[in-house]
Amino acid sequence: MALLVLFSTVSFTIEKHYCGEVLVDVSVFTEAEKCAMETQEMAMKKSCCKDEVDVVEGQDELLKTFHDFDFEQQQFLISFVYSFINLFEGEPKKVIPHKDYSPPNLVKDIIVLDQVFLI
């Protein structure tokens, strides 16, 4: 949906350069390259070259207000937003019962005394 909005609002130009009846260059967003004959024609003041520019304009108006919709559309929009907001529930607060419990002091290391080791 975001790409559709992006591409519908982008404006760009397509520039074509013809030398006589022959298409020499096509360019989008930048200026088309001129042919070598055009520099010679500038000195002679006679031109057989022509440039054609096509402008593709994107959409300018994207804003719609809530009042632009009819009653059924407003009702659907309100129920959709309400159900979407209530769809997600927060996680319950986790209770850690032994958070303030400190372990007892070790007087003797029982694992070393009994010689029981994990292999």
Side-chain angles (χ1 to χ4, degrees), residues 1-12 56-63:
M1 191 67 145
L3 290 175
L4 179 68
V5 171
L6 176 71
F7 287 127
S8 68
T9 57
V10 171
S11 301
F12 60 93
V56 179
E57 292 197 19
Q59 183 179 0
D60 287 339
E61 260 182 60
L62 288 179
L63 297 177

Side-chain angles (χ1 to χ4, degrees), residues 1-2 6 8 10 22 32-33 49 54 61 73 103-104 108 117:
M1 191 67 145
L6 176 71
S8 68
V10 171
V22 179
E33 281 189 31
C49 296
D54 297 326
E61 260 182 60
Q73 290 174 333
K108 298 180 182 176
F117 302 106

Side-chain angles (χ1 to χ4, degrees), residues 107-117:
V107 179
K108 298 180 182 176
D109 196 0
I110 297 175
I111 295 175
V112 175
L113 288 176
D114 292 339
Q115 300 267 327
V116 179
F117 302 106

Side-chain angles (χ1 to χ4, degrees), residues 95-103:
V95 177
I96 304 172
H98 56 279
K99 183 175 78 171
D100 297 324
Y101 172 73
S102 60

Side-chain angles (χ1 to χ4, degrees), residues 37-67:
M37 290 183 65
E38 190 166 2
T39 56
Q40 296 171 356
E41 292 170 0
M42 290 281 215
M44 296 176 7
K45 306 279 187 204
K46 183 181 176 188
S47 177
C48 69
C49 296
K50 65 178 178 176
D51 291 324
E52 201 174 285
V53 178
D54 297 326
V55 178
V56 179
E57 292 197 19
Q59 183 179 0
D60 287 339
E61 260 182 60
L62 288 179
L63 297 177
K64 277 203 168 226
T65 61
F66 184 72
H67 302 291

